[in-house]
Amino acid sequence: MGDTLFVKIERLRRLFRCTTLSVRVQRGEGGGFGLGLSEDNEILEFHHATNAQLLHIGDQVRSVNDVPLVRERLGTVLKRFFPDQNEVELAITRAVVEPRCFSGEVFASLRALSTSGATVAEWPSDLWKARPDVVWGAFWTVMLPPATRRASFALHRSLMLTDPLYGHAVLDFSALDADSVSTRWHMLRADGAVDSEAVGEVLLSIRRYSSLVSVSPGANLSLIDGSDEELCEPTAAQHQTDRSLQCATGTTLGPDQDVSHDLVSAMTGINWHVTKRDLHMATSIRSVHESDVADSERRHAQRVGQVGPSVSSLQMTHVEDVEDTPTQA
């Protein structure tokens, strides 16, 4: 049994220095809070002055009474959960410098962390032009190493000679619902920054779930006989067409060569992990079969009067070919 982590980057926003605040606001004229908001819940104007001294134009509302605002408007959440409350608490971010998002290419990295915070594994993304107004869409589906206790998302700028860390967010597994996707905004913080300081936000969809290890015949055989041979991982290099065609002609793979997933399926019926030893055995069986076919064709040629070697010499050649077939013990 192993844990699999799915993480998708939905969007970035407010890629500038901000501070986080909690503000209690009250209803005013007409029973409303007097806030004019964008579709992303950024304050654009005030309809009355009840909360104008507490909030500023440009403040980003992130949650109301601990209910996060992900893709819904503040007004919708207030009507659904707090229609009769006269006072609510808003979590906001406020710019501490002139709001100006940087431009240029960025990339993200997902890291598996141990209890001490050490990196157990890391998976980088491709480069992407930073645009807070569009969906990024990059994602990972990775098997977590056994020592993983939490994960970290990091955003890096891609400059001419360096890839400096812009900000990162720790992904707490305890806050995730079992086997369900959690989508919410995470604060990006620079190295050494306090919890109230941020340099941006990232909208992530996260799911952690349990998955079984491979139950293919080849994998089970490797486990039963105590073999410690390396399993062939389904990496992109193993799906090359040229390598698959070469194997299909009967050429025996070397112990360090990659294998084609299509070849594994065609020769062994295994659709996932298979040991290299199993593949050598399958290739040997294929070679023996081809020798049998050649033996039968030559004997048929003798019966019809064509010139060919004797049956005994063919049988001897067949035996020697089998004995010389490379296999792994």
Side-chain angles (χ1 to χ4, degrees):
M1 182 76 71
D3 281 351
T4 299
L5 184 66
F6 168 82
V7 178
K8 181 183 178 183
I9 311 171
E10 304 286 356
R11 279 184 52 207
L12 299 171
R13 74 180 181 190
R14 299 177 70 83
L15 298 177
F16 45 80
R17 288 181 56 204
C18 297
T19 184
T20 60
L21 302 168
S22 292
V23 180
R24 297 198 68 83
V25 296
Q26 295 180 342
R27 298 183 185 271
E29 299 176 8
F33 292 92
L35 306 179
L37 302 166
S38 70
E39 292 186 359
D40 210 22
N41 294 304
E42 180 180 338
I43 298 177
L44 302 178
E45 60 179 343
F46 295 103
H47 298 309
H48 55 72
T50 303
N51 299 299
Q53 300 300 317
L54 301 174
L55 299 170
H56 296 174
I57 300 295
D59 285 352
Q60 176 72 55
V61 182
R62 302 186 66 247
S63 68
V64 51
N65 284 0
D66 295 327
V67 177
L69 302 178
V70 182
R71 294 188 175 97
E72 291 186 307
R73 302 283 294 273
L74 174 62
T76 302
V77 176
L78 288 172
K79 290 178 182 179
R80 181 184 305 160
F81 297 104
F82 316 106
D84 300 323
Q85 284 193 221
N86 188 54
E87 184 177 282
V88 295
E89 183 173 2
L90 302 181
I92 65 170
T93 59
R94 179 174 296 167
V96 296
V97 295
E98 180 182 357
R100 181 182 300 171
C101 294
F102 67 77
S103 59
E105 291 185 326
V106 297
F107 69 92
S109 65
L110 179 67
R111 294 189 300 159
L113 306 177
S114 65
T115 304
S116 63
T119 300
V120 180
E122 184 173 11
W123 304 274
S125 75
D126 293 332
L127 289 175
W128 185 71
K129 185 175 177 60
R131 292 187 57 187
D133 58 329
V134 298
V135 173
W136 186 339
F139 68 92
W140 298 267
T141 302
V142 296
M143 184 74 74
L144 293 174
T148 304
R149 294 297 175 266
R150 52 182 178 168
S152 172
F153 172 90
L155 182 68
H156 295 262
R157 300 189 67 177
S158 179
L159 304 181
M160 183 68 70
L161 299 176
T162 60
D163 300 318
L165 173 67
Y166 180 75
H168 65 93
V170 175
L171 311 181
D172 187 5
F173 292 157
S174 63
L176 301 178
D177 295 332
D179 293 329
S180 63
V181 178
S182 171
T183 302
R184 69 181 184 89
W185 289 97
H186 296 259
M187 305 297 297
L188 293 174
R189 293 182 170 85
D191 268 347
V194 298
D195 290 344
S196 61
E197 297 178 355
V199 291
E201 298 180 56
V202 57
L203 181 63
L204 298 177
S205 293
I206 306 173
R207 182 189 178 202
R208 184 189 182 191
Y209 57 96
S210 297
S211 58
L212 293 175
V213 297
S214 173
V215 292
S216 67
N220 287 341
L221 179 62
S222 175
L223 294 175
I224 292 173
D225 66 10
S227 172
D228 58 354
E229 293 184 45
E230 179 184 359
L231 291 178
C232 296
E233 296 296 335
T235 58
Q238 295 176 352
H239 296 266
Q240 296 176 357
T241 303
D242 293 343
R243 183 69 58 84
S244 176
L245 291 175
Q246 178 186 11
C247 295
T249 62
T251 302
T252 303
L253 292 174
D256 296 324
Q257 286 182 278
D258 292 305
V259 295
S260 166
H261 183 274
D262 294 336
L263 176 65
V264 174
S265 300
M267 295 177 63
T268 67
I270 299 172
N271 293 321
W272 195 237
H273 290 128
V274 60
T275 62
K276 295 179 181 178
R277 182 191 61 187
D278 294 334
L279 204 50
H280 291 320
M281 293 175 63
T283 307
S284 300
I285 294 172
R286 187 187 185 97
S287 297
V288 172
H289 173 70
E290 291 175 349
S291 297
D292 289 338
V293 172
D295 188 13
S296 176
E297 290 177 349
R298 294 192 183 189
R299 281 188 286 184
H300 176 71
Q302 284 184 327
R303 285 197 297 268
V304 297
Q306 296 181 358
V307 178
S310 64
V311 175
S312 59
S313 63
L314 285 172
Q315 292 175 341
M316 183 60 69
T317 302
H318 171 65
V319 173
E320 290 176 353
D321 288 343
V322 175
E323 291 178 350
D324 291 339
T325 301
T327 59
Q328 282 190 327

